[in-house]
Amino acid sequence: MVFQLFLLVLLPHAADGKVTLKCPLNLERNKADPLNFYKLGDLLLGGVIGATKASFLPYDFNRNPSIKVYGKGFTFSWKILSFLFAIQEINQDFQLLPNISLGYNLHENCFNLIITLDALLDLLSTGEANIPNYRCGSHKRPLVVFEGSNSDISIQISNMLGIYKIPQISYVFVSQTSQNDKILSPFWYRVVPKEGAQYPAIIKLLQHFRWTLIGLVAPDSDGGERFMRRLTPLLVRNGICVVLSQSIPVAAPHVHIDSFQFYKWRQVNVFIYCVEIDSFIRGIFITQKIIETYTKPTIGKVWITSALWDFTLNLQYSALIIPSIYGYISFSIQTNRNAKYGDFQSIYKSIIGFMKKAFYCSYSKHGLSVKGWTRCPEKEDLEILPQEEIEGILSLDNYIIHRSIWSVARALNAVYLSRSKRKMKNDKDHLAVQQLQPWQLHHFLQNSLLYNNSFDELYLDESEELAADLDIMSWAQFPNKSVVRAKFGSLARQGSGETMFTVDQDAMVSPKWLNQSLPESKCVESCHPGFFMVPREGEPPCCYDCVPCGEGAISTQEDAEKYTKCSEDQHPNEKQDHCIPKVITFLSYKGILGNLLTSFSLFLSLITVLVLTIFIKYLETPLVKANNRNLSYILLISLLFSFLTSLLFIGQPRKATCLVRQAVFSIIFSAAVSSVLAKTITVVLAFLATKPGNTIRRWLGKALANFLVLSCSGIQSLICSIWLGVSPPFPDSDFHSQPGEIILHCNEGSIAMFYGALGYIGFLAAICFTVAFLARNLPGAFNEAKLITFSMLVFCSVWISFVPTYESTKGKYMVAVQVFSILSSSAGLLGCIFIPKCYIIILRPDLNTKEQLILK
């Protein structure tokens, strides 16, 4: 619409080329630098530079339209200097474009669409009036137009230049726009990476400082809306919560904030700021006013800006000092070039002095449609400002302008080299400099050629998008308007294609008046090592609960997303923040428990030997004879071996001990129980044999006793042989039963065979107990049935309680339970059967007589 309005205004002038206005207009500027710089040349380069912020007063038709300019054109002077310096170098290079001089037609647009369209009309019009397509004189249209506007104005420039197929070179870092689509904007070229190239660096930076609660600030433009729409899902996927998304109006003086967001402004200490080149300070100022309104007292805030340019001059020249801002963080393309600003005022005077001496320009322009600007003729001598000083003070963004012009110059050189080759083939092809058309440059401005000639540090990534290694910069602004910046990190591509992210937090700079460390910005306190994060249901992913790591697991860093299992031979320490080796344990002779059981085993063995000695010494006494002394010897020897067998269960498990200990225990215990059973049956048969005419007498004797002992023991030997043949026990390690311990034990091989052998002993004991219980009241002076009944009651009680106790214990205590059961059950047999007899033999020999036996 604005373009059509310009055409309607210009139509009356097409007829006579003269301006007839009843009220001539002068568009005045108050003490501002010139808007237009012009120099003739064989080839003309155009430029629309956005540098000076201006405020356009409303038209009230009572006075001339006026523009209030902020910044006094200082930044514009820097950018103009970059153009002039580059073109001067190219014109003095006789090998790059021999016999060809470059001219320029440069305009400042004050970041205003109307001024931009007026400047484009001037660039596209070759006559005295701003009438496109009206040729008058030898003026030329520019072959290329360089522009440094925000994304919205850049799109409008592209729409107008596209009509004439003029290449548009953008040297600023704009957000991802439709201009990336070559179908919509086929003549638009970018010499710097798009803004999205720094999104990975922003995410890694937030993760490094554990800033998980952040706010997004962007201008209310298409670029700002795209910034929020594309960055937000990337942040969410990486566990970062966006709790504020604030749009800053570019024109309106006030911002509306919903009341329910007040508390969020208190929580958020880190803002990601989508910077448009014309609203850097304004966005920070407006947002800071919101913060100061709803969070008192103010605290330090960190601004992570999307600016990929050097904004030292913006901060230096701005009258805005915000003491509650902790600092700014931005990104910069890695170069070997650093701007040397030095003293701000002296440099300012040097630049302005140079501009005044090198150029003479008017500050006014006639009415809207006529070229009233006096073109600023460049003087022949540009050596007033030394070349070394110009090179030293060029900042990154101005350096980009410088290199962009050189890239286009090399493309022009490629065009003429190509034409020269064709001319050599066809001498009739007359080539003149003036015949070069803008559309003929596009083939030579393709990505690979243009990018390779712009920055040494730029490269094309896998998707053929322009990328660069980035430095992470820290900025601080001080009350004396000085600005300090420092590099404290980088994101660089390695030779393998992967990127390396590094941060040196100590290298950051921050205002000293805050007297505080880098602020935190998170929903909850960090989970300490030993805990891991569990998201809260229905809340953002950055709001979570800290849950202790599971058994056998650790976490070694704060805010761990998951825990890590320790290896089998390790276990977590008390804090569960690192793994330590497990302690190897078994029922050792050196331990208190093992030492105690060993002592009991040896003591009971000595008691058994003593009893056996007494029985051998008094083998001819009636008491010893009356109870089948051979079975008593077998039982005492079995009990002696039972006590000694318990020693096989103590000590570090070996292959030999694991293989034989259960089998030896089972067979010996079977022999002991079977000898008791034989004694019991012998007592019953002896009583029955006293009845007249009873034929059982012939069963009495050694044969029956030996048969019972051998047969019962033989069955147990068969069971153990099958066990050892099919699934023999072996040494094993238990890593899981006891936390912090590796238990060395004997794996029984087949649990079924183990309980089968144990069940067989129980079966014999049950038969023995039953028979003894039934014969307990038989008469006789030396009837063992009562003693056997009580001993088997102890024996069965021990082994019945053994099974649940054995299954409920872990580690070496399982072995200790079995050793205790062996000792206690054997001690029960020894004590209940033989101690009363030893009492009579030793202390009451008067009862150990034949007369006493007959009397009973």
Side-chain angles (χ1 to χ4, degrees):
M1 294 295 296
V2 177
F3 181 62
Q4 293 175 354
L5 176 61
F6 271 107
L7 293 179
L8 291 176
V9 173
L10 297 176
L11 282 177
H13 308 285
D16 54 9
K18 297 181 180 180
V19 181
T20 57
L21 295 176
K22 295 181 179 180
C23 300
L25 295 178
N26 290 321
L27 189 60
E28 297 178 352
R29 307 179 76 235
N30 56 334
K31 299 180 181 179
D33 290 336
L35 289 173
N36 176 225
F37 291 88
Y38 179 80
K39 177 187 177 182
L40 290 174
D42 297 324
L43 302 176
L44 189 65
L45 304 181
V48 179
I49 301 173
T52 305
K53 185 64 178 175
S55 176
F56 292 82
L57 300 180
Y59 298 154
D60 56 9
F61 298 97
N62 293 324
R63 58 181 178 179
N64 290 332
S66 178
I67 306 172
K68 186 177 181 180
V69 180
Y70 304 94
K72 299 181 181 179
F74 178 66
T75 306
F76 180 66
S77 301
W78 283 83
K79 297 185 183 297
I80 286 294
L81 188 61
S82 303
F83 270 97
L84 302 182
F85 181 53
I87 291 177
Q88 180 192 30
E89 285 183 324
I90 295 169
N91 286 336
Q92 292 177 356
D93 189 335
F94 300 106
Q95 295 182 351
L96 183 63
L97 293 174
N99 301 322
I100 298 175
S101 64
L102 294 182
Y104 50 81
N105 189 1
L106 307 178
H107 295 262
E108 182 182 3
N109 66 350
C110 298
F111 302 104
N112 182 269
L113 182 59
I114 296 177
I115 299 297
T116 300
L117 295 175
D118 193 28
L120 289 173
L121 286 175
D122 184 271
L123 289 172
L124 298 175
S125 302
T126 58
E128 291 295 330
N130 285 340
I131 305 176
N133 298 328
Y134 177 71
R135 290 185 174 274
C136 179
S138 59
H139 297 288
K140 312 180 189 65
R141 291 195 187 98
L143 288 175
V144 175
V145 174
F146 296 87
E147 58 92 7
S149 304
N150 58 39
S151 56
D152 294 339
I153 294 180
S154 180
I155 292 175
Q156 298 300 327
I157 295 175
S158 178
N159 292 337
M160 290 191 68
L161 295 181
I163 299 174
Y164 300 91
K165 299 181 180 181
I166 297 176
Q168 174 186 357
I169 309 296
S170 178
Y171 58 81
V172 296
F173 305 89
V174 298
S175 61
Q176 301 181 47
T177 65
S178 59
Q179 290 174 321
N180 291 338
D181 189 347
K182 281 298 181 181
I183 298 177
L184 299 177
S185 301
F187 312 119
W188 182 83
Y189 300 92
R190 184 178 60 239
V191 293
V192 290
K194 60 185 178 182
E195 186 177 271
Q198 60 187 307
Y199 289 172
I202 292 176
I203 293 172
K204 288 182 179 294
L205 189 69
L206 293 173
Q207 291 175 337
H208 174 81
F209 290 111
R210 298 185 179 91
W211 289 327
T212 57
L213 203 70
I214 61 106
L216 295 183
V217 179
D220 61 347
S221 60
D222 291 342
E225 188 273 333
R226 281 187 293 269
F227 168 82
M228 291 186 178
R229 186 179 68 248
R230 298 187 181 186
L231 181 57
T232 300
L234 293 177
L235 295 172
V236 172
R237 282 200 297 269
N238 287 275
I240 301 168
C241 297
V242 180
V243 296
L244 285 173
S245 296
Q246 183 63 54
S247 294
I248 301 299
V250 177
H254 302 292
V255 182
H256 173 70
I257 302 296
D258 295 331
S259 58
F260 72 90
Q261 289 187 334
F262 290 170
Y263 77 97
K264 294 182 179 179
W265 288 94
R266 297 185 178 94
Q267 283 183 296
V268 176
N269 289 328
V270 176
F271 293 91
I272 301 178
Y273 181 28
C274 174
V275 180
E276 290 283 7
I277 194 171
D278 58 333
S279 59
F280 175 75
I281 296 297
R282 174 176 171 78
I284 296 176
F285 176 76
I286 293 176
T287 308
Q288 183 62 22
K289 287 299 181 183
I290 299 173
I291 295 171
E292 291 177 350
T293 302
Y294 301 120
T295 62
K296 295 180 179 180
T298 58
I299 58 176
K301 305 290 183 180
V302 175
W303 287 79
I304 302 177
T305 72
S306 65
L308 278 172
W309 65 84
D310 189 333
F311 51 82
T312 302
L313 296 177
N314 300 79
L315 295 177
Q316 280 183 333
Y317 206 81
S318 172
L320 179 64
I321 302 294
I322 305 175
S324 60
I325 288 183
Y326 182 89
Y328 305 92
I329 295 176
S330 71
F331 303 90
S332 174
I333 296 178
Q334 286 188 1
T335 65
N336 297 323
R337 189 179 189 82
N338 292 314
K340 303 173 184 178
Y341 291 106
D343 180 63
F344 176 76
Q345 295 296 333
S346 63
I347 295 176
Y348 174 79
K349 293 178 180 179
S350 298
I351 298 298
I352 296 302
F354 168 72
M355 301 297 292
K356 289 181 178 179
K357 292 179 181 179
F359 298 92
Y360 175 77
C361 304
S362 67
Y363 294 165
S364 62
K365 173 185 180 300
H366 295 294
L368 295 175
S369 61
V370 177
K371 292 184 178 181
W373 292 336
T374 301
R375 302 300 177 95
C376 301
E378 180 185 330
K379 293 186 177 181
E380 296 298 329
D381 186 11
L382 287 182
E383 300 299 330
I384 300 174
L385 193 64
Q387 178 173 329
E388 294 79 9
E389 185 175 352
I390 297 176
E391 289 180 346
I393 61 179
L394 287 180
S395 61
L396 175 62
D397 43 334
N398 298 322
Y399 178 59
I400 293 173
I401 296 174
H402 178 270
R403 293 299 299 270
S404 300
I405 297 173
W406 268 96
S407 299
V408 172
R410 292 190 179 95
L412 291 171
N413 179 56
V415 172
Y416 285 108
L417 287 177
S418 175
R419 284 191 163 193
S420 298
K421 292 178 181 179
R422 291 201 305 270
K423 183 180 179 181
M424 291 176 63
K425 295 180 180 179
N426 186 5
D427 294 332
K428 296 181 180 181
D429 181 12
H430 176 69
L431 179 65
V433 172
Q434 292 79 2
Q435 292 177 340
L436 183 62
Q437 299 297 321
W439 60 266
Q440 295 173 317
L441 283 175
H442 292 298
H443 176 73
F444 300 90
L445 293 176
Q446 299 304 315
N447 289 353
S448 57
L449 179 62
L450 182 61
Y451 297 161
N452 290 340
N453 288 318
S454 56
F455 279 103
D456 297 334
E457 297 81 6
L458 299 180
Y459 55 86
L460 295 176
D461 59 14
E462 294 77 6
S463 58
E464 295 300 317
E465 287 286 347
L466 187 62
D469 295 339
L470 301 178
D471 287 332
I472 307 175
M473 311 297 295
S474 173
W475 306 72
Q477 185 182 18
F478 296 92
N480 62 355
K481 294 188 179 182
S482 64
V483 176
V484 177
R485 63 173 183 167
K487 172 186 172 181
F488 72 98
S490 64
L491 181 68
R493 185 178 64 168
Q494 302 300 302
S496 59
E498 299 179 353
T499 57
M500 176 179 288
F501 177 78
T502 57
V503 167
D504 180 11
Q505 189 170 339
D506 295 334
M508 296 183 68
V509 294
S510 61
K512 302 300 181 183
W513 61 75
L514 289 177
N515 193 25
Q516 66 179 44
S517 59
L518 201 63
E520 292 186 349
S521 189
K522 54 179 64 178
C523 179
V524 294
E525 291 296 328
S526 298
C527 290
H528 298 293
F531 294 80
F532 69 100
M533 301 184 300
V534 175
R536 296 174 181 173
E537 187 175 355
E539 295 191 27
C542 63
C543 297
Y544 49 82
D545 294 317
C546 297
V547 179
C549 296
E551 184 178 355
I554 63 167
S555 62
T556 58
Q557 60 184 10
E558 289 188 352
D559 293 335
E561 295 183 357
K562 58 183 179 179
Y563 55 79
T564 304
K565 285 283 188 180
C566 291
S567 60
E568 285 192 338
D569 59 344
Q570 293 181 325
H571 73 105
N573 63 341
E574 185 177 353
K575 295 182 179 180
Q576 289 188 283
D577 57 2
H578 66 276
C579 295
I580 57 178
K582 290 182 177 180
V583 178
I584 297 177
T585 182
F586 53 89
L587 188 60
S588 173
Y589 291 106
K590 298 180 181 180
I592 297 177
L593 184 58
N595 200 314
L596 187 62
L597 292 175
T598 301
S599 300
F600 277 132
S601 176
L602 296 176
F603 174 74
L604 292 173
S605 299
L606 292 175
I607 297 297
T608 306
V609 172
L610 180 61
V611 172
L612 182 59
T613 303
I614 293 174
F615 267 62
I616 293 174
K617 183 177 181 180
Y618 297 94
L619 60 87
E620 296 298 333
T621 60
L623 182 63
V624 176
K625 289 181 179 181
N627 298 118
N628 198 333
R629 62 186 175 187
N630 291 332
L631 289 177
S632 296
Y633 294 152
I634 295 174
L635 178 57
L636 285 170
I637 293 172
S638 298
L639 291 176
L640 175 61
F641 282 118
S642 296
F643 292 132
L644 296 176
T645 299
S646 62
L647 298 178
L648 294 174
F649 292 84
I650 304 173
Q652 183 172 350
R654 307 291 182 183
K655 185 175 182 180
T657 56
C658 288
L659 186 65
V660 301
R661 69 180 190 177
Q662 293 291 359
V664 170
F665 151 73
S666 300
I667 293 172
I668 290 175
F669 253 65
S670 297
V673 175
S674 62
S675 63
V676 175
L677 177 61
K679 289 169 85 52
T680 306
I681 293 176
T682 301
V683 171
V684 174
L685 292 179
F687 176 76
L688 294 177
T690 59
K691 295 181 180 180
N694 197 320
T695 60
I696 299 179
R697 181 184 297 270
R698 61 183 178 178
W699 293 97
L700 293 173
K702 297 181 179 179
L704 177 62
N706 293 336
F707 174 76
L708 288 174
V709 173
L710 291 175
S711 60
C712 293
S713 302
I715 294 174
Q716 185 69 288
S717 300
L718 179 62
I719 294 173
C720 292
S721 298
I722 297 174
W723 183 4
L724 297 178
V726 174
S727 181
F730 57 91
D732 198 5
S733 299
D734 183 1
F735 293 92
H736 308 292
S737 295
Q738 291 291 102
E741 295 182 355
I742 300 175
I743 302 171
L744 302 182
H745 68 105
C746 290
N747 191 312
E748 307 305 345
S750 173
I751 298 297
M753 296 302 294
F754 169 72
Y755 282 108
L758 198 63
Y760 179 73
I761 296 174
F763 172 72
L764 294 179
I767 296 176
C768 183
F769 173 74
T770 303
V771 174
F773 181 77
L774 294 176
R776 70 187 184 283
N777 293 323
L778 293 176
F782 303 109
N783 181 12
E784 286 187 302
K786 293 181 180 180
L787 301 178
I788 292 174
T789 300
F790 189 71
S791 67
M792 296 312 298
L793 181 62
V794 173
F795 185 92
C796 293
S797 299
V798 169
W799 287 104
I800 289 173
S801 62
F802 163 78
V803 174
T805 307
Y806 183 80
E807 291 296 330
S808 62
T809 53
K810 301 293 183 181
K812 63 182 180 180
Y813 298 103
M814 293 182 68
V815 183
V817 166
Q818 187 170 0
V819 172
F820 177 78
S821 299
I822 293 172
L823 295 177
S824 58
S825 59
S826 300
L829 292 177
L830 179 66
C832 294
I833 295 176
F834 294 100
I835 296 302
K837 296 178 181 181
C838 291
Y839 171 78
I840 293 174
I841 293 172
I842 302 300
L843 300 178
R844 296 293 304 274
D846 58 302
L847 298 179
N848 189 12
T849 62
K850 187 174 183 180
E851 291 77 10
Q852 185 67 24
L853 177 63
I854 296 172
L855 181 63
K856 292 295 183 179

